[in-house]
Short mmCIF file of all heavy atoms in Angstrom, two decimals:
data_model
loop_
_atom_site.label_atom_id
_atom_site.label_comp_id
_atom_site.label_asym_id
_atom_site.label_seq_id
_atom_site.Cartn_x
_atom_site.Cartn_y
_atom_site.Cartn_z
N MET A 1 28.46 11.26 -12.78
CA MET A 1 27.21 10.66 -12.33
C MET A 1 26.64 9.81 -13.46
O MET A 1 26.51 10.26 -14.59
CB MET A 1 26.22 11.73 -11.92
CG MET A 1 24.89 11.20 -11.53
SD MET A 1 23.78 12.55 -11.05
CE MET A 1 22.57 11.63 -10.20
N THR A 2 26.29 8.58 -13.13
CA THR A 2 25.72 7.66 -14.10
C THR A 2 24.34 7.23 -13.64
O THR A 2 24.12 7.05 -12.45
CB THR A 2 26.63 6.42 -14.26
OG1 THR A 2 27.95 6.84 -14.60
CG2 THR A 2 26.09 5.49 -15.33
N THR A 3 23.44 7.06 -14.58
CA THR A 3 22.10 6.55 -14.28
C THR A 3 21.99 5.14 -14.85
O THR A 3 22.27 4.92 -16.03
CB THR A 3 21.02 7.45 -14.90
OG1 THR A 3 21.16 8.76 -14.36
CG2 THR A 3 19.63 6.92 -14.61
N TYR A 4 21.60 4.21 -13.99
CA TYR A 4 21.40 2.82 -14.39
C TYR A 4 19.92 2.50 -14.29
O TYR A 4 19.23 2.98 -13.39
CB TYR A 4 22.18 1.87 -13.48
CG TYR A 4 23.67 2.06 -13.55
CD1 TYR A 4 24.33 2.81 -12.58
CD2 TYR A 4 24.41 1.50 -14.59
CE1 TYR A 4 25.70 2.99 -12.65
CE2 TYR A 4 25.78 1.69 -14.66
CZ TYR A 4 26.42 2.43 -13.68
OH TYR A 4 27.78 2.62 -13.74
N VAL A 5 19.43 1.65 -15.19
CA VAL A 5 18.04 1.20 -15.18
C VAL A 5 18.04 -0.32 -15.18
O VAL A 5 18.67 -0.94 -16.05
CB VAL A 5 17.26 1.74 -16.40
CG1 VAL A 5 15.82 1.25 -16.36
CG2 VAL A 5 17.32 3.26 -16.46
N ILE A 6 17.35 -0.90 -14.20
CA ILE A 6 17.25 -2.36 -14.08
C ILE A 6 15.77 -2.72 -14.00
O ILE A 6 15.02 -2.10 -13.26
CB ILE A 6 17.96 -2.88 -12.82
CG1 ILE A 6 19.44 -2.49 -12.84
CG2 ILE A 6 17.82 -4.40 -12.73
CD1 ILE A 6 20.18 -2.87 -11.57
N GLY A 7 15.36 -3.73 -14.74
CA GLY A 7 13.97 -4.15 -14.72
C GLY A 7 13.77 -5.49 -14.03
O GLY A 7 14.65 -6.36 -14.06
N ASP A 8 12.63 -5.63 -13.39
CA ASP A 8 12.18 -6.90 -12.81
C ASP A 8 13.23 -7.58 -11.94
O ASP A 8 13.66 -8.70 -12.20
CB ASP A 8 11.69 -7.85 -13.90
CG ASP A 8 10.41 -7.35 -14.53
OD1 ASP A 8 9.54 -6.83 -13.80
OD2 ASP A 8 10.27 -7.47 -15.75
N ILE A 9 13.60 -6.95 -10.87
CA ILE A 9 14.56 -7.52 -9.92
C ILE A 9 13.96 -8.74 -9.22
O ILE A 9 14.67 -9.70 -8.93
CB ILE A 9 15.03 -6.45 -8.92
CG1 ILE A 9 15.79 -5.36 -9.68
CG2 ILE A 9 15.87 -7.06 -7.81
CD1 ILE A 9 16.07 -4.12 -8.87
N GLN A 10 12.67 -8.68 -8.94
CA GLN A 10 11.92 -9.83 -8.41
C GLN A 10 12.41 -10.35 -7.06
O GLN A 10 12.17 -11.50 -6.71
CB GLN A 10 11.91 -10.98 -9.41
CG GLN A 10 11.20 -10.70 -10.69
CD GLN A 10 9.69 -10.76 -10.59
OE1 GLN A 10 9.12 -11.10 -9.56
NE2 GLN A 10 9.02 -10.41 -11.67
N GLY A 11 13.15 -9.52 -6.30
CA GLY A 11 13.63 -9.99 -5.00
C GLY A 11 14.86 -10.86 -5.08
O GLY A 11 15.23 -11.51 -4.12
N CYS A 12 15.53 -10.86 -6.22
CA CYS A 12 16.76 -11.64 -6.40
C CYS A 12 17.94 -10.77 -5.95
O CYS A 12 18.64 -10.15 -6.77
CB CYS A 12 16.92 -12.07 -7.86
SG CYS A 12 15.59 -13.16 -8.41
N PHE A 13 18.14 -10.73 -4.65
CA PHE A 13 19.10 -9.81 -4.05
C PHE A 13 20.54 -10.07 -4.48
O PHE A 13 21.26 -9.14 -4.85
CB PHE A 13 18.99 -9.86 -2.52
CG PHE A 13 19.92 -8.93 -1.82
CD1 PHE A 13 19.72 -7.57 -1.89
CD2 PHE A 13 20.99 -9.42 -1.10
CE1 PHE A 13 20.59 -6.70 -1.25
CE2 PHE A 13 21.87 -8.55 -0.46
CZ PHE A 13 21.66 -7.18 -0.53
N GLN A 14 20.99 -11.30 -4.42
CA GLN A 14 22.39 -11.58 -4.75
C GLN A 14 22.72 -11.28 -6.20
O GLN A 14 23.76 -10.66 -6.48
CB GLN A 14 22.77 -13.02 -4.40
CG GLN A 14 24.27 -13.25 -4.40
CD GLN A 14 25.01 -12.25 -3.52
OE1 GLN A 14 24.68 -12.05 -2.36
NE2 GLN A 14 26.00 -11.59 -4.08
N PRO A 15 21.89 -11.66 -7.17
CA PRO A 15 22.18 -11.25 -8.55
C PRO A 15 22.19 -9.73 -8.73
O PRO A 15 23.00 -9.20 -9.50
CB PRO A 15 21.05 -11.90 -9.36
CG PRO A 15 20.66 -13.08 -8.55
CD PRO A 15 20.79 -12.63 -7.12
N LEU A 16 21.34 -9.03 -7.99
CA LEU A 16 21.35 -7.56 -8.03
C LEU A 16 22.70 -7.04 -7.55
O LEU A 16 23.30 -6.16 -8.19
CB LEU A 16 20.22 -6.99 -7.18
CG LEU A 16 20.25 -5.48 -6.96
CD1 LEU A 16 20.07 -4.73 -8.28
CD2 LEU A 16 19.20 -5.07 -5.94
N GLN A 17 23.18 -7.56 -6.44
CA GLN A 17 24.47 -7.11 -5.89
C GLN A 17 25.62 -7.42 -6.86
O GLN A 17 26.53 -6.61 -7.02
CB GLN A 17 24.72 -7.76 -4.53
CG GLN A 17 23.74 -7.31 -3.46
CD GLN A 17 23.70 -5.80 -3.32
OE1 GLN A 17 24.70 -5.17 -3.03
NE2 GLN A 17 22.54 -5.22 -3.54
N THR A 18 25.56 -8.57 -7.49
CA THR A 18 26.59 -8.94 -8.47
C THR A 18 26.60 -7.96 -9.64
O THR A 18 27.65 -7.49 -10.08
CB THR A 18 26.36 -10.38 -8.97
OG1 THR A 18 26.41 -11.26 -7.85
CG2 THR A 18 27.39 -10.79 -10.00
N LEU A 19 25.41 -7.64 -10.14
CA LEU A 19 25.30 -6.70 -11.25
C LEU A 19 25.80 -5.32 -10.86
O LEU A 19 26.56 -4.69 -11.61
CB LEU A 19 23.84 -6.62 -11.72
CG LEU A 19 23.54 -5.65 -12.85
CD1 LEU A 19 24.31 -6.03 -14.10
CD2 LEU A 19 22.05 -5.61 -13.12
N LEU A 20 25.42 -4.84 -9.68
CA LEU A 20 25.86 -3.52 -9.24
C LEU A 20 27.37 -3.47 -9.05
O LEU A 20 28.00 -2.44 -9.33
CB LEU A 20 25.13 -3.12 -7.95
CG LEU A 20 23.63 -2.90 -8.10
CD1 LEU A 20 23.00 -2.59 -6.74
CD2 LEU A 20 23.32 -1.79 -9.10
N ALA A 21 27.95 -4.56 -8.60
CA ALA A 21 29.41 -4.62 -8.45
C ALA A 21 30.10 -4.56 -9.82
O ALA A 21 31.13 -3.89 -9.99
CB ALA A 21 29.82 -5.88 -7.70
N LYS A 22 29.52 -5.23 -10.81
CA LYS A 22 30.11 -5.25 -12.15
C LYS A 22 30.14 -3.87 -12.80
O LYS A 22 31.06 -3.55 -13.54
CB LYS A 22 29.36 -6.22 -13.07
CG LYS A 22 29.70 -7.66 -12.81
CD LYS A 22 29.04 -8.57 -13.82
CE LYS A 22 29.42 -10.01 -13.51
NZ LYS A 22 28.90 -10.92 -14.53
N VAL A 23 29.12 -3.06 -12.51
CA VAL A 23 29.08 -1.71 -13.09
C VAL A 23 29.67 -0.67 -12.15
O VAL A 23 29.66 0.51 -12.44
CB VAL A 23 27.65 -1.31 -13.53
CG1 VAL A 23 27.13 -2.24 -14.60
CG2 VAL A 23 26.70 -1.22 -12.34
N ALA A 24 30.15 -1.12 -10.99
CA ALA A 24 30.75 -0.24 -9.98
C ALA A 24 29.78 0.85 -9.54
O ALA A 24 30.12 2.03 -9.47
CB ALA A 24 32.07 0.34 -10.48
N PHE A 25 28.54 0.45 -9.26
CA PHE A 25 27.53 1.39 -8.79
C PHE A 25 27.98 2.04 -7.50
O PHE A 25 28.36 1.37 -6.54
CB PHE A 25 26.19 0.67 -8.57
CG PHE A 25 25.12 1.56 -8.01
CD1 PHE A 25 24.48 2.49 -8.81
CD2 PHE A 25 24.76 1.47 -6.67
CE1 PHE A 25 23.50 3.31 -8.30
CE2 PHE A 25 23.78 2.28 -6.14
CZ PHE A 25 23.14 3.21 -6.96
N ASP A 26 27.95 3.37 -7.47
CA ASP A 26 28.31 4.14 -6.29
C ASP A 26 27.11 4.99 -5.90
O ASP A 26 26.81 5.97 -6.57
CB ASP A 26 29.52 5.03 -6.59
CG ASP A 26 29.96 5.85 -5.40
OD1 ASP A 26 29.26 5.87 -4.36
OD2 ASP A 26 31.01 6.50 -5.50
N PRO A 27 26.43 4.66 -4.80
CA PRO A 27 25.23 5.41 -4.42
C PRO A 27 25.50 6.87 -4.07
O PRO A 27 24.57 7.68 -4.06
CB PRO A 27 24.70 4.64 -3.21
CG PRO A 27 25.83 3.84 -2.71
CD PRO A 27 26.72 3.57 -3.88
N ASN A 28 26.73 7.23 -3.82
CA ASN A 28 27.06 8.63 -3.56
C ASN A 28 27.19 9.45 -4.84
O ASN A 28 27.17 10.68 -4.79
CB ASN A 28 28.38 8.73 -2.78
CG ASN A 28 28.26 8.10 -1.42
OD1 ASN A 28 27.30 8.33 -0.70
ND2 ASN A 28 29.22 7.27 -1.08
N ARG A 29 27.29 8.77 -5.96
CA ARG A 29 27.51 9.43 -7.23
C ARG A 29 26.46 9.08 -8.28
O ARG A 29 26.09 9.91 -9.11
CB ARG A 29 28.91 9.03 -7.72
CG ARG A 29 29.35 9.62 -9.02
CD ARG A 29 30.65 8.99 -9.49
NE ARG A 29 30.38 7.61 -9.89
CZ ARG A 29 31.20 6.60 -9.69
NH1 ARG A 29 32.34 6.77 -9.08
NH2 ARG A 29 30.88 5.39 -10.09
N ASP A 30 25.97 7.84 -8.27
CA ASP A 30 25.10 7.31 -9.32
C ASP A 30 23.64 7.25 -8.88
O ASP A 30 23.33 7.34 -7.69
CB ASP A 30 25.56 5.91 -9.71
CG ASP A 30 27.00 5.87 -10.18
OD1 ASP A 30 27.47 6.87 -10.76
OD2 ASP A 30 27.67 4.85 -9.95
N THR A 31 22.78 7.05 -9.86
CA THR A 31 21.35 6.85 -9.61
C THR A 31 20.93 5.52 -10.23
O THR A 31 21.35 5.19 -11.33
CB THR A 31 20.51 7.98 -10.24
OG1 THR A 31 20.95 9.23 -9.70
CG2 THR A 31 19.03 7.81 -9.95
N LEU A 32 20.10 4.78 -9.51
CA LEU A 32 19.57 3.51 -9.99
C LEU A 32 18.06 3.61 -10.10
O LEU A 32 17.38 3.95 -9.13
CB LEU A 32 19.95 2.37 -9.04
CG LEU A 32 19.31 1.01 -9.34
CD1 LEU A 32 19.84 0.46 -10.66
CD2 LEU A 32 19.58 0.04 -8.20
N TRP A 33 17.55 3.34 -11.28
CA TRP A 33 16.12 3.24 -11.50
C TRP A 33 15.75 1.77 -11.55
O TRP A 33 16.35 1.00 -12.31
CB TRP A 33 15.72 3.90 -12.82
CG TRP A 33 15.65 5.39 -12.76
CD1 TRP A 33 16.70 6.27 -12.77
CD2 TRP A 33 14.47 6.17 -12.68
NE1 TRP A 33 16.23 7.55 -12.71
CE2 TRP A 33 14.86 7.52 -12.65
CE3 TRP A 33 13.11 5.87 -12.62
CZ2 TRP A 33 13.95 8.57 -12.57
CZ3 TRP A 33 12.20 6.90 -12.55
CH2 TRP A 33 12.62 8.23 -12.52
N SER A 34 14.75 1.39 -10.77
CA SER A 34 14.21 0.03 -10.83
C SER A 34 12.84 0.12 -11.49
O SER A 34 11.95 0.80 -10.99
CB SER A 34 14.07 -0.54 -9.42
OG SER A 34 13.37 -1.76 -9.46
N VAL A 35 12.70 -0.57 -12.60
CA VAL A 35 11.42 -0.57 -13.32
C VAL A 35 10.86 -1.98 -13.31
O VAL A 35 11.59 -2.95 -13.42
CB VAL A 35 11.58 -0.04 -14.76
CG1 VAL A 35 12.03 1.41 -14.75
CG2 VAL A 35 12.56 -0.87 -15.56
N GLY A 36 9.60 -2.09 -13.12
CA GLY A 36 8.98 -3.42 -13.06
C GLY A 36 8.90 -3.92 -11.63
O GLY A 36 8.90 -3.16 -10.67
N ASP A 37 8.86 -5.23 -11.48
CA ASP A 37 8.65 -5.85 -10.17
C ASP A 37 9.93 -5.82 -9.34
O ASP A 37 10.93 -6.43 -9.70
CB ASP A 37 8.18 -7.30 -10.32
CG ASP A 37 6.84 -7.38 -11.04
OD1 ASP A 37 6.02 -6.46 -10.86
OD2 ASP A 37 6.62 -8.35 -11.78
N LEU A 38 9.88 -5.14 -8.21
CA LEU A 38 11.02 -5.07 -7.31
C LEU A 38 11.16 -6.35 -6.50
O LEU A 38 12.26 -6.84 -6.28
CB LEU A 38 10.85 -3.86 -6.38
CG LEU A 38 11.99 -3.53 -5.44
CD1 LEU A 38 13.27 -3.28 -6.20
CD2 LEU A 38 11.61 -2.32 -4.59
N ILE A 39 10.05 -6.89 -6.05
CA ILE A 39 10.05 -8.15 -5.28
C ILE A 39 8.94 -9.06 -5.81
O ILE A 39 8.06 -8.62 -6.52
CB ILE A 39 9.85 -7.91 -3.77
CG1 ILE A 39 8.51 -7.24 -3.50
CG2 ILE A 39 11.00 -7.11 -3.19
CD1 ILE A 39 8.11 -7.21 -2.05
N ASN A 40 9.03 -10.31 -5.43
CA ASN A 40 7.97 -11.29 -5.68
C ASN A 40 8.53 -12.69 -5.74
O ASN A 40 8.40 -13.46 -4.81
CB ASN A 40 7.16 -10.99 -6.94
CG ASN A 40 5.96 -11.90 -7.08
OD1 ASN A 40 5.56 -12.54 -6.13
ND2 ASN A 40 5.40 -11.98 -8.25
N ARG A 41 9.17 -13.06 -6.82
CA ARG A 41 9.56 -14.46 -7.07
C ARG A 41 10.91 -14.86 -6.49
O ARG A 41 11.21 -16.03 -6.40
CB ARG A 41 9.58 -14.71 -8.57
CG ARG A 41 8.23 -14.52 -9.19
CD ARG A 41 8.28 -14.73 -10.68
NE ARG A 41 6.99 -14.38 -11.23
CZ ARG A 41 6.76 -14.19 -12.50
NH1 ARG A 41 7.74 -14.31 -13.36
NH2 ARG A 41 5.57 -13.89 -12.92
N GLY A 42 11.74 -13.89 -6.16
CA GLY A 42 13.08 -14.19 -5.68
C GLY A 42 13.09 -14.76 -4.28
O GLY A 42 12.07 -14.80 -3.59
N THR A 43 14.27 -15.17 -3.86
CA THR A 43 14.40 -15.84 -2.55
C THR A 43 14.77 -14.88 -1.44
O THR A 43 14.84 -15.30 -0.28
CB THR A 43 15.47 -16.93 -2.63
OG1 THR A 43 16.71 -16.34 -3.02
CG2 THR A 43 15.08 -18.01 -3.63
N ASP A 44 15.02 -13.61 -1.76
CA ASP A 44 15.46 -12.68 -0.72
C ASP A 44 14.79 -11.32 -0.87
O ASP A 44 15.45 -10.29 -0.99
CB ASP A 44 16.98 -12.56 -0.74
CG ASP A 44 17.55 -12.19 0.62
OD1 ASP A 44 16.76 -11.85 1.51
OD2 ASP A 44 18.78 -12.25 0.77
N ASN A 45 13.47 -11.33 -0.81
CA ASN A 45 12.69 -10.11 -0.95
C ASN A 45 13.02 -9.09 0.13
O ASN A 45 13.15 -7.90 -0.15
CB ASN A 45 11.19 -10.42 -0.92
CG ASN A 45 10.75 -11.19 -2.15
OD1 ASN A 45 11.11 -10.86 -3.26
ND2 ASN A 45 9.97 -12.24 -1.94
N LEU A 46 13.15 -9.53 1.37
CA LEU A 46 13.38 -8.62 2.48
C LEU A 46 14.72 -7.89 2.33
O LEU A 46 14.80 -6.67 2.54
CB LEU A 46 13.30 -9.35 3.81
CG LEU A 46 13.40 -8.47 5.06
CD1 LEU A 46 12.35 -7.36 5.06
CD2 LEU A 46 13.28 -9.32 6.31
N SER A 47 15.77 -8.59 1.98
CA SER A 47 17.08 -7.95 1.77
C SER A 47 17.02 -6.94 0.63
O SER A 47 17.65 -5.88 0.70
CB SER A 47 18.15 -8.99 1.49
OG SER A 47 18.40 -9.77 2.62
N THR A 48 16.27 -7.26 -0.39
CA THR A 48 16.10 -6.35 -1.52
C THR A 48 15.42 -5.07 -1.06
O THR A 48 15.90 -3.96 -1.36
CB THR A 48 15.29 -7.02 -2.65
OG1 THR A 48 15.96 -8.21 -3.06
CG2 THR A 48 15.12 -6.09 -3.83
N LEU A 49 14.35 -5.20 -0.33
CA LEU A 49 13.64 -4.02 0.18
C LEU A 49 14.52 -3.21 1.12
O LEU A 49 14.52 -1.97 1.07
CB LEU A 49 12.35 -4.43 0.88
CG LEU A 49 11.24 -4.95 -0.02
CD1 LEU A 49 10.09 -5.48 0.82
CD2 LEU A 49 10.77 -3.86 -0.96
N ARG A 50 15.24 -3.89 1.99
CA ARG A 50 16.12 -3.18 2.93
C ARG A 50 17.21 -2.41 2.17
O ARG A 50 17.54 -1.29 2.53
CB ARG A 50 16.75 -4.16 3.90
CG ARG A 50 15.78 -4.62 4.95
CD ARG A 50 16.42 -5.58 5.91
NE ARG A 50 15.51 -5.90 7.00
CZ ARG A 50 15.57 -6.98 7.72
NH1 ARG A 50 16.51 -7.89 7.49
NH2 ARG A 50 14.70 -7.19 8.69
N TRP A 51 17.79 -3.03 1.13
CA TRP A 51 18.83 -2.35 0.37
C TRP A 51 18.27 -1.10 -0.30
O TRP A 51 18.90 -0.04 -0.25
CB TRP A 51 19.43 -3.30 -0.68
CG TRP A 51 20.61 -2.70 -1.36
CD1 TRP A 51 21.92 -2.80 -0.99
CD2 TRP A 51 20.59 -1.86 -2.52
NE1 TRP A 51 22.71 -2.08 -1.85
CE2 TRP A 51 21.92 -1.49 -2.80
CE3 TRP A 51 19.58 -1.38 -3.35
CZ2 TRP A 51 22.25 -0.67 -3.88
CZ3 TRP A 51 19.92 -0.57 -4.42
CH2 TRP A 51 21.24 -0.22 -4.66
N PHE A 52 17.09 -1.21 -0.90
CA PHE A 52 16.49 -0.05 -1.56
C PHE A 52 16.14 1.05 -0.56
O PHE A 52 16.32 2.22 -0.85
CB PHE A 52 15.27 -0.46 -2.39
CG PHE A 52 15.64 -0.85 -3.79
CD1 PHE A 52 16.06 -2.13 -4.07
CD2 PHE A 52 15.59 0.08 -4.82
CE1 PHE A 52 16.44 -2.49 -5.36
CE2 PHE A 52 15.95 -0.27 -6.11
CZ PHE A 52 16.38 -1.56 -6.37
N PHE A 53 15.68 0.67 0.61
CA PHE A 53 15.37 1.68 1.63
C PHE A 53 16.66 2.35 2.11
O PHE A 53 16.70 3.57 2.28
CB PHE A 53 14.63 1.04 2.81
CG PHE A 53 14.22 2.04 3.84
CD1 PHE A 53 13.14 2.88 3.63
CD2 PHE A 53 14.94 2.16 5.02
CE1 PHE A 53 12.77 3.83 4.58
CE2 PHE A 53 14.58 3.10 5.99
CZ PHE A 53 13.48 3.93 5.75
N GLN A 54 17.70 1.58 2.31
CA GLN A 54 18.98 2.11 2.77
C GLN A 54 19.57 3.11 1.75
O GLN A 54 20.21 4.07 2.12
CB GLN A 54 19.97 0.98 2.99
CG GLN A 54 21.33 1.43 3.45
CD GLN A 54 22.30 0.25 3.60
OE1 GLN A 54 21.96 -0.90 3.31
NE2 GLN A 54 23.49 0.54 4.06
N HIS A 55 19.30 2.88 0.47
CA HIS A 55 19.84 3.72 -0.60
C HIS A 55 18.77 4.62 -1.22
O HIS A 55 18.89 5.05 -2.37
CB HIS A 55 20.49 2.84 -1.67
CG HIS A 55 21.67 2.09 -1.16
ND1 HIS A 55 21.56 0.82 -0.65
CD2 HIS A 55 22.97 2.44 -1.04
CE1 HIS A 55 22.75 0.41 -0.25
NE2 HIS A 55 23.62 1.38 -0.46
N ARG A 56 17.74 4.93 -0.45
CA ARG A 56 16.58 5.65 -0.98
C ARG A 56 16.91 7.02 -1.60
O ARG A 56 16.15 7.52 -2.42
CB ARG A 56 15.51 5.79 0.09
CG ARG A 56 15.92 6.60 1.30
CD ARG A 56 14.85 6.48 2.40
NE ARG A 56 15.29 7.07 3.65
CZ ARG A 56 15.96 6.42 4.59
NH1 ARG A 56 16.31 5.16 4.41
NH2 ARG A 56 16.31 7.03 5.71
N ASP A 57 18.02 7.61 -1.25
CA ASP A 57 18.38 8.91 -1.83
C ASP A 57 18.99 8.77 -3.22
O ASP A 57 19.08 9.77 -3.95
CB ASP A 57 19.36 9.65 -0.92
CG ASP A 57 18.71 10.07 0.39
OD1 ASP A 57 17.47 10.25 0.41
OD2 ASP A 57 19.43 10.20 1.38
N SER A 58 19.39 7.56 -3.60
CA SER A 58 20.03 7.40 -4.89
C SER A 58 19.30 6.39 -5.79
O SER A 58 19.82 6.01 -6.83
CB SER A 58 21.48 6.94 -4.73
OG SER A 58 21.55 5.74 -3.99
N VAL A 59 18.10 5.98 -5.39
CA VAL A 59 17.31 5.07 -6.22
C VAL A 59 15.93 5.66 -6.51
O VAL A 59 15.41 6.46 -5.74
CB VAL A 59 17.14 3.66 -5.58
CG1 VAL A 59 18.49 2.99 -5.39
CG2 VAL A 59 16.39 3.74 -4.28
N ARG A 60 15.38 5.23 -7.62
CA ARG A 60 14.02 5.58 -8.01
C ARG A 60 13.33 4.28 -8.38
O ARG A 60 13.92 3.45 -9.08
CB ARG A 60 13.99 6.54 -9.20
CG ARG A 60 14.82 7.81 -9.02
CD ARG A 60 14.23 8.71 -7.94
NE ARG A 60 15.07 9.88 -7.73
CZ ARG A 60 16.01 10.00 -6.80
NH1 ARG A 60 16.27 8.99 -6.00
NH2 ARG A 60 16.71 11.11 -6.68
N VAL A 61 12.09 4.12 -7.96
CA VAL A 61 11.36 2.88 -8.23
C VAL A 61 10.09 3.20 -8.99
O VAL A 61 9.30 4.04 -8.55
CB VAL A 61 11.04 2.13 -6.90
CG1 VAL A 61 10.23 0.87 -7.20
CG2 VAL A 61 12.30 1.81 -6.14
N VAL A 62 9.91 2.52 -10.11
CA VAL A 62 8.69 2.61 -10.89
C VAL A 62 8.03 1.24 -10.77
O VAL A 62 8.60 0.23 -11.17
CB VAL A 62 8.97 2.95 -12.37
CG1 VAL A 62 7.69 2.98 -13.17
CG2 VAL A 62 9.72 4.27 -12.46
N LEU A 63 6.85 1.19 -10.22
CA LEU A 63 6.17 -0.08 -9.99
C LEU A 63 5.71 -0.72 -11.29
O LEU A 63 5.29 -0.03 -12.21
CB LEU A 63 4.98 0.12 -9.06
CG LEU A 63 5.31 0.66 -7.66
CD1 LEU A 63 4.04 0.87 -6.86
CD2 LEU A 63 6.26 -0.27 -6.93
N GLY A 64 5.80 -2.04 -11.31
CA GLY A 64 5.38 -2.79 -12.50
C GLY A 64 3.96 -3.26 -12.40
O GLY A 64 3.28 -3.09 -11.43
#
């Protein structure tokens, strides 16, 4: 089990997916902490929120 921490995602869904693929994030095994702004400036806020809701058992969000 690995814990990852990512800050200020800002609704940038595709870069988030690229990063998670690079580290081989597995929601069945790993935990992702999001610190800072989850949405706002990015172009795909809704997809970002949907992804976090879908993986709610393996993510933790600390609001910025």
Side-chain angles (χ1 to χ4, degrees):
M1 177 180 197
T2 304
T3 300
Y4 297 99
V5 180
I6 301 175
D8 291 321
I9 295 169
Q10 295 283 355
C12 297
F13 181 70
Q14 194 53 52
L16 170 65
Q17 294 306 301
T18 301
L19 178 62
L20 294 176
K22 283 186 180 185
V23 298
F25 176 76
D26 180 352
N28 296 314
R29 181 188 70 217
D30 302 328
T31 302
L32 173 66
W33 281 77
S34 171
V35 297
D37 298 326
L38 185 58
I39 61 169
N40 187 16
R41 298 178 186 166
T43 59
D44 207 349
N45 292 315
L46 185 56
S47 292
T48 302
L49 289 173
R50 285 180 174 156
W51 188 91
F52 271 85
F53 184 76
Q54 180 182 3
H55 296 92
R56 63 189 171 272
D57 293 334
S58 57
V59 299
R60 306 293 177 265
V61 178
V62 178
L63 299 177

